[in-house]
Amino acid sequence: MLSCTRCSEPPKEPVNDSYKKKLISYKEGKVLYDEYSRTNNIILTKYRNGQPDSRWYWFSVDELEGYIKYVKENAKKQKLKNPGIRIYMGKYPVDHPKSKMAKPEYAGYQTIFLVPTAQNVKKDSTRVMSRAMRSTDENSDVKEGMQSLNMTNLAPPPNVSTASMQ
C-alpha cells in the first residue's frame, strides 16, 4: 500500500515584484537605444575605422534563471546578504581564447558580463558593528566563491551606426 502525506507540490518561494516599478515600454527602450546610437556608438564606430561595435547581447531566460538560482544558492551558503547582479561592459581582446567566447569570430567587439554582488558590511577594529556601519548604499562584487556569467550571444550590427532595434 502506498501512502501519500503530501500529494501536491511544495509551495514555491514567492517572487518579489519590485521590478515592476522599473519596467519601461519598448518605445522608451528605443529612446535609450537611439541615444546610444547617436552618441556613444558614433565614437566607437570612428575608433573602429567605420565598423560599428556590438549593439545588443542575448541570454536565454533559462540561462538567466539558472544563474540567478546559482547566485542565490551560493549567497545563502556564504551567508551573504542582499545578493544582486552587476552588469559590466567589457571588450574581447583580439587574441582572446576562442573557448571563452560564445562566438569567437567576434574577438575585438564589446560585450557584457554579469557579476554577483552582496551587501557591503563594514566592521570596525573591535568587531562590533555600529548601526551606521552595517551597510553602505551599494552592493560590492563577490570576488570569491562565485563566478561571473559571460558567453552571451552578441551581435555586431550591420554596417550602419544608426541601426534600429529589432
Side-chain angles (χ1 to χ4, degrees):
M1 178 188 269
L2 293 174
S3 172
C4 181
T5 55
R6 185 187 330 187
C7 295
S8 61
E9 286 188 37
K12 294 189 179 191
E13 185 177 315
V15 176
N16 184 317
D17 69 352
S18 63
Y19 72 92
K20 290 180 179 179
K21 292 182 264 178
K22 298 178 181 184
L23 296 175
I24 63 173
S25 68
Y26 185 85
K27 187 175 180 180
E28 291 167 314
K30 187 163 179 358
V31 168
L32 302 178
Y33 182 85
D34 289 346
E35 181 65 11
Y36 174 83
S37 297
R38 192 182 66 73
T39 58
N40 299 42
N41 194 255
I42 295 290
I43 294 166
L44 290 170
T45 299
K46 285 179 185 173
Y47 176 79
R48 295 173 56 86
N49 298 316
Q51 295 296 312
D53 209 336
S54 315
R55 300 296 293 284
W56 55 261
Y57 312 91
W58 183 85
F59 291 101
S60 73
V61 170
D62 286 343
E63 288 170 329
L64 290 174
E65 285 176 339
Y67 188 65
I68 289 168
K69 183 177 178 185
Y70 166 80
V71 169
K72 282 181 166 183
E73 288 173 355
N74 280 282
K76 189 173 185 177
K77 286 179 194 173
Q78 295 178 43
K79 296 181 172 67
L80 300 175
K81 302 289 183 206
N82 193 31
I85 296 173
R86 184 170 283 127
I87 301 172
Y88 279 101
M89 297 293 298
K91 181 179 177 184
Y92 291 115
V94 175
D95 60 352
H96 198 69
K98 291 185 186 323
S99 63
K100 298 286 185 179
M101 296 176 63
K103 295 182 177 180
E105 64 270 24
Y106 296 155
Y109 282 90
Q110 67 185 10
T111 188
I112 60 167
F113 57 99
L114 311 181
V115 176
T117 66
Q119 183 176 4
N120 291 324
V121 176
K122 294 182 179 179
K123 295 181 182 178
D124 64 18
S125 59
T126 61
R127 296 213 181 273
V128 177
M129 291 191 330
S130 70
R131 177 171 273 231
M133 295 174 66
R134 285 195 187 143
S135 68
T136 60
D137 291 342
E138 202 172 306
N139 283 6
S140 293
D141 293 352
V142 175
K143 297 176 183 167
E144 294 182 22
M146 280 191 260
Q147 294 185 312
S148 299
L149 180 67
N150 190 15
M151 305 253 228
T152 176
N153 288 311
L154 62 91
N159 265 342
V160 203
S161 63
T162 57
S164 62
M165 287 176 51
Q166 291 185 357

